[in-house]
Amino acid sequence: MAPLPGRGLAKGLAVTLRTMTRRSVTAQYPDVQPELPPRSRGVIGLLEENCTVCMLCARECPDWCIYIDSHKETLPAADPGARARTRNVLDRFAIDFSLCMYCGICIEVCPFDALFWSPEFEYAETDIHELTHERDRLREWMWTVPAPPALDPAAEEPKEVAAARKTADKQAAAAAAAREAAAAPAAVSPSPDSAEEQQDS
Amino acid sequence: MRETTVGIGSGAENVTELGTSDMVLNIGPQHPSTHGVLRLKLVLDGERIVSAEPVVGYMHRGAEKLFEARDYRQIVMLANRHDWLSAFSNELGVVLAVERMLGMEVPERAVWLRTLLAELNRVLNHLMFLGSYPLELGGITPVFYAFEGRETLQHVLEEASGGRMHYMFNRVGGLKEDLPAGWTGRVRAAVAQVRAQMGRIDDLVLGNEIFRGRTAGVGVLAPELVHAYGVSGPIARASGVDFDLRRDEPYLAYGELGDVLRVAVREEGDCLARFECLLEQTHVSLDLADACLDRIAGLAPGPVNLRLPKVLKAPEGHTYAWTENPLGVNGYYLVSRGDKTPWRLKLRSASYNNIQALTELLPGTLVADMVAILGSMFFVVGDIDK
């Protein structure tokens, strides 16, 4: 216990006094917007072109708040000999954000990268039905999606980069093999630039 | 404390106009002094509590039953919500149980990152109670300081996981994704900043005569009661029950952190001891977070998760995983029949056991002390009701 009565109180008041001399840490929200990291889970954007109506997101959603309607369309055969193809056409894609638990499973399972997180969060409504965002609104969110952050140096390569590197390595190897084959007869000298270009692409 | 007893003669108890009768007072489910919707049914004899009964279940969401209809990724999402202040630690118990069933070896980087994040989560949880407990005793200021620290840590956690409370960052086999570049440096800065600010809580609260007067010697929980009710966590350790799973049955990387991990123990068992335990644990957790960061910097580059099959099924059998959550021991009893959902996932949440001790702790105390005792039990109603 403090030897002097009231010492603890004085110490506490000193803390308050010290804080009084400092700038406040609070931000006046509507005037000052928070700085949100790119991974922030604010709202889900939909890139319709990538959606194949596979329904994985709707099935994996833990509270089934994604609504998808679609129909099959038959494309006429391109050649006279080919058969007609059918494809899925998206009629409705809606996410009910009043039910959504913001877990991100739909985005994780989407095999064609049609869904993305956006840090936007200002979509409160006075009517709960308005929280069901239809495809046009989900598309609007798409333009607010930030680029993903660069990964830690100790991290494994992202699989997109790894796949691209594999293709590039394969092409470089093929180009090198072609150059060797061309160098052996030495009659036709292939321009080394073309191989380089291929490697770059 | 002065007590006045007014004698009105024998037999007066039978006369309704003069005699006193016990009063039943409901604290909650909606009451300013409760957190959330815990209801306490108190029987009062004047100002003194004769008996107390915690009535639980107002926030029961059937989490355990919902687990049975969700696959293991969806369960993570549900599991981090019952105790919303320690979401990361809750996720951890579920994935540890499933990984044990599958016999899965988690990459080293993931293990260390999980340890780091679990400790940051512990600091977040403790800061909440370090701020809200003085608030309940009438000190409004500390909560702002506590929340400043919380905000600092929440910011780095959001940067990695995308969430401020429900991180959803654990997956069976590791973590969801790797860290953003430069994150570890920012965590180090955040931890240093929070540590530098911790002194304010020491000065403002712990030394305060009013705070000490309201908590010292109030609500003494005997070690026998701790054992009888299965009380765990900082509350049990404040009563001298020296039990911490991080040290006594190490999981994650805690086994290698033995030199940093100090278990905060007090003997008094009163409200002040519980608060002191929580405060000391926060300091220890900040040190642990720094130790984890040191180790992560020295680890070889590698993955943070394992490739999982499209449909993840736990093999038939059962296992019990328990973790030292910020509020106490959380247990997960997983029974699988080989399906992609568990057949049963029993959740042993810390708060549920901890508040049962109120039945023994409150009788004999005054109503004014009830708030001090209730606040010092550090519970989350979602964790009680599941």
Side-chain angles (χ1 to χ4, degrees):
Chain A
M1 261 325 265
L4 216 69
R7 190 165 158 267
L9 288 174
K11 237 170 142 182
L13 281 172
V15 173
T16 318
L17 208 67
R18 261 204 308 279
T19 312
M20 242 168 78
T21 61
R22 301 225 178 96
R23 281 193 82 81
S24 108
V25 289
T26 28
Q28 299 297 321
Y29 156 61
D31 303 322
V32 184
Q33 287 287 329
E35 261 180 58
L36 295 172
R39 280 187 186 171
S40 206
R41 299 196 299 260
V43 72
I44 298 167
L46 167 73
L47 193 63
E48 231 176 272
E49 290 83 343
N50 285 355
C51 180
T52 61
V53 203
C54 67
M55 307 288 276
L56 272 178
C57 51
R59 262 190 304 174
E60 285 291 312
C61 177
D63 49 4
W64 305 294
C65 70
I66 302 180
Y67 309 111
I68 300 177
D69 285 336
S70 69
H71 67 271
K72 274 202 160 53
E73 219 166 59
T74 312
L75 294 176
D79 313 313
R83 67 187 165 83
R85 304 266 168 182
T86 58
R87 69 182 183 109
N88 290 320
V89 182
L90 190 67
D91 292 327
R92 179 183 184 219
F93 194 108
I95 299 178
D96 188 345
F97 284 107
S98 64
L99 290 178
C100 178
M101 309 245 276
Y102 297 82
C103 65
I105 289 177
C106 51
I107 292 157
E108 225 179 305
V109 296
C110 181
F112 302 105
D113 286 345
L115 293 170
F116 296 88
W117 275 122
S118 156
E120 292 294 315
F121 60 93
E122 293 170 308
Y123 51 95
E125 301 282 356
T126 46
D127 181 359
I128 197 167
H129 300 292
E130 301 287 308
L131 279 171
T132 306
H133 292 192
E134 296 292 335
R135 62 204 278 194
D136 47 332
R137 236 178 131 193
L138 292 173
R139 191 183 182 74
E140 284 307 308
W141 294 123
M142 200 50 225
W143 318 132
T144 63
V145 173
L151 290 186
D152 196 84
E156 223 181 17
E157 230 171 13
K159 65 174 189 287
E160 290 84 355
V161 177
R165 184 185 304 284
K166 211 172 150 192
T167 319
D169 285 350
K170 216 185 265 172
Q171 281 182 355
R179 211 174 330 160
E180 252 171 51
V188 217
S189 66
S191 75
D193 296 25
S194 69
E196 292 278 294
E197 269 168 36
Q198 223 178 341
Q199 203 176 339
D200 287 357
S201 64
Chain B
M1 180 175 55
R2 209 185 64 177
E3 275 179 67
T4 316
T5 312
V6 183
I8 46 170
S10 63
E13 272 166 27
N14 305 323
V15 188
T16 44
E17 284 91 351
L18 289 170
T20 59
S21 57
D22 289 343
M23 174 180 155
V24 179
L25 180 66
N26 277 300
I27 307 290
Q30 308 291 335
H31 191 272
S33 75
T34 61
H35 324 240
V37 282
L38 175 71
R39 180 177 159 211
L40 279 179
K41 222 167 122 187
L42 305 179
V43 178
L44 303 180
D45 177 14
E47 281 282 298
R48 203 164 282 283
I49 297 170
V50 176
S51 71
E53 183 197 353
V55 185
V56 301
Y58 284 90
M59 213 194 240
H60 182 62
R61 290 150 293 174
E64 290 177 4
K65 199 70 198 167
L66 288 171
F67 290 158
E68 292 168 19
R70 299 288 186 284
D71 68 29
Y72 291 109
R73 178 162 44 188
Q74 296 172 333
I75 286 173
V76 171
M77 184 279 303
L78 280 175
N80 72 22
R81 278 166 162 82
H82 64 87
D83 173 2
W84 46 80
L85 289 177
S86 25
F88 192 85
S89 319
N90 295 338
E91 295 174 3
L92 207 54
V94 175
V95 294
L96 286 176
V98 182
E99 280 159 12
R100 192 180 298 167
M101 290 278 275
L102 289 162
M104 206 177 246
E105 185 91 28
V106 177
E108 203 187 7
R109 242 168 81 75
V111 171
W112 279 97
L113 281 174
R114 276 179 175 180
T115 317
L116 167 67
L117 290 163
E119 286 310 311
L120 291 178
N121 194 194
R122 192 182 308 275
V123 177
L124 272 177
N125 175 298
H126 287 0
L127 276 175
M128 179 75 196
F129 288 106
L130 290 176
S132 78
Y133 187 46
L135 186 68
E136 275 157 28
L137 296 179
I140 298 171
T141 320
V143 74
F144 296 109
Y145 295 145
F147 266 72
E148 193 188 331
R150 268 174 68 84
E151 198 61 38
T152 316
L153 290 174
Q154 270 177 336
H155 197 79
V156 286
L157 281 166
E158 184 180 15
E159 199 190 331
S161 71
R164 285 163 55 86
M165 288 186 86
H166 301 301
Y167 308 110
M168 194 60 195
F169 204 45
N170 274 301
R171 290 293 181 280
V172 176
L175 296 171
K176 177 173 177 270
E177 54 193 338
D178 215 297
L179 308 170
W183 185 77
T184 43
R186 287 189 283 278
V187 174
R188 207 177 270 282
V191 168
Q193 193 184 332
V194 173
R195 185 181 288 122
Q197 291 168 349
M198 284 303 289
R200 298 195 295 196
I201 292 185
D202 290 330
D203 288 347
L204 199 60
V205 186
L206 205 59
N208 187 298
E209 279 87 357
I210 302 169
F211 179 79
R212 294 189 89 93
R214 287 209 59 187
T215 53
V218 172
V220 178
L221 182 66
E224 298 78 56
L225 282 180
V226 168
H227 291 304
Y229 281 87
V231 175
S232 54
I235 304 168
R237 289 192 283 274
S239 296
V241 179
D242 190 4
F243 177 65
D244 190 322
L245 280 176
R246 291 177 294 171
R247 181 199 58 200
D248 300 330
E249 203 185 304
Y251 56 102
L252 291 180
Y254 288 117
E256 295 174 51
L257 288 166
D259 47 336
V260 191
L261 179 67
R262 305 183 309 275
V263 179
V265 184
R266 294 284 182 285
E267 296 297 328
E268 294 86 354
D270 57 358
C271 295
L272 184 63
R274 290 193 272 275
F275 187 81
E276 281 175 352
C277 263
L278 207 65
L279 191 61
E280 192 181 331
Q281 251 181 239
T282 315
H283 284 285
V284 174
S285 286
L286 288 169
D287 294 345
L288 281 170
D290 265 343
C292 287
L293 281 169
D294 290 340
R295 283 297 297 261
I296 288 165
L299 286 180
V304 290
N305 47 27
L306 295 173
R307 248 170 203 281
L308 294 178
K310 266 236 152 54
V311 179
L312 182 71
K313 289 180 177 171
E316 213 173 308
H318 57 91
T319 190
Y320 184 72
W322 56 351
T323 56
E324 184 69 36
N325 258 39
L327 298 178
V329 171
N330 262 30
Y332 302 83
Y333 182 51
L334 171 64
V335 183
S336 172
R337 298 216 164 156
D339 292 326
K340 61 178 195 172
T341 61
W343 186 73
R344 176 89 165 93
L345 181 55
K346 167 77 177 82
L347 182 63
R348 186 254 190 230
S349 57
S351 303
Y352 182 74
N353 286 61
N354 290 356
I355 61 130
Q356 303 303 323
L358 284 172
T359 329
E360 305 261 359
L361 207 52
L362 286 177
T365 58
L366 297 176
V367 175
D369 288 336
M370 188 270 298
V371 180
I373 297 169
L374 194 61
S376 74
M377 293 307 280
F378 311 127
F379 59 86
V380 167
V381 177
D383 201 30
I384 299 169
D385 291 348
K386 294 178 274 197

